[in-house]
Amino acid sequence: MSSGEQIKGQELFLRQQSNNNKNGPSIICDGIQTPENFGSILRVADATGCQNICLLDSELDLTNKKLSKLARSTDQHLNIQHLTLQQFTEQRHQFKQLCALEITTQSTSLFETNISSCDGIVIGHESQGIRASLLNCCDSAIHLPMYGINGSMNVSHALSVFLYEWRRQQ
């Protein structure tokens, strides 16, 4: 039995181009601060077909060469906008189902929740999470079940799990 050979170059590019479903949910980042996390968020957004990313009240410098390198230049192909919380709240009506990726008193497990109709996913600040006022704008809160001693996961990693589960449910 063989697991095959690694695909590289043009063959890999052609395989990726056949996955042209770019209807992934918009990603709303509440106060994301570190270029490392945002670079990872951009890469997973691209990998899962998410085109729109909104930075709320963030001071990230999108012209930072380190960020572009971390994102492997995906920042050049995605629609990234900076908004204040107030501006986002005024545009909230654009989402049919806005989900928060946060552990709350009302959150449900990602693996027990139908998230296929989620068209916007809110993720929070690396240490403070999602602001209460923004949580109140969301239709639901989803959490990842944790099995170790740590109570949470890195925000970009949690987003990856969420987006691949969203794709699986499609």
Side-chain angles (χ1 to χ4, degrees):
M1 182 172 212
S2 172
S3 58
E5 296 178 21
Q6 187 178 40
I7 297 174
K8 296 180 181 178
Q10 187 67 19
E11 187 179 352
L12 177 60
F13 176 76
L14 291 173
R15 181 180 284 193
Q16 288 172 279
Q17 294 309 301
S18 69
N19 295 332
N20 59 5
N21 189 343
K22 305 256 189 225
N23 69 338
S26 295
I27 301 168
I28 298 90
C29 304
D30 184 24
I32 297 294
Q33 297 299 312
T34 65
E36 293 81 7
N37 274 336
F38 193 59
S40 294
I41 289 166
L42 293 175
R43 286 181 69 177
V44 75
D46 176 69
T48 56
C50 298
Q51 296 294 298
N52 300 307
I53 300 174
C54 177
L55 287 167
L56 297 182
D57 298 323
S58 176
E59 296 178 9
L60 278 173
D61 177 11
L62 298 183
T63 63
N64 181 329
K65 290 185 189 245
K66 180 180 180 184
L67 175 63
S68 187
K69 184 176 180 179
L70 289 165
R72 299 193 74 184
S73 299
T74 56
D75 56 318
Q76 305 300 313
H77 307 285
L78 299 169
N79 176 26
I80 304 168
Q81 61 179 339
H82 282 271
L83 293 176
T84 64
L85 179 58
Q86 181 179 346
Q87 290 170 323
F88 177 79
T89 303
E90 292 167 1
Q91 297 177 14
R92 162 59 180 99
H93 65 277
Q94 296 176 1
F95 297 97
K96 294 176 189 161
Q97 185 180 9
L98 185 63
C99 299
L101 188 55
E102 185 72 87
I103 301 168
T104 73
T105 57
Q106 299 295 314
S107 62
T108 58
S109 168
L110 174 65
F111 304 120
E112 298 172 359
T113 307
N114 182 344
I115 58 170
S116 61
S117 60
C118 175
D119 60 348
I121 180 66
V122 179
I123 58 175
H125 183 276
E126 289 88 346
S127 62
Q128 300 167 0
I130 301 169
R131 288 176 277 184
S133 56
L134 183 54
L135 270 175
N136 290 332
C137 292
C138 296
D139 298 304
S140 62
I142 311 297
H143 67 263
L144 301 182
M146 300 298 293
Y147 300 98
I149 58 171
N150 196 344
S152 66
M153 186 184 287
N154 175 282
V155 66
S156 65
H157 296 88
L159 177 64
S160 297
V161 173
F162 177 91
L163 290 173
Y164 274 97
E165 176 63 12
W166 182 89
R167 274 282 168 216
R168 190 191 70 76
Q169 289 187 19
Q170 296 300 299

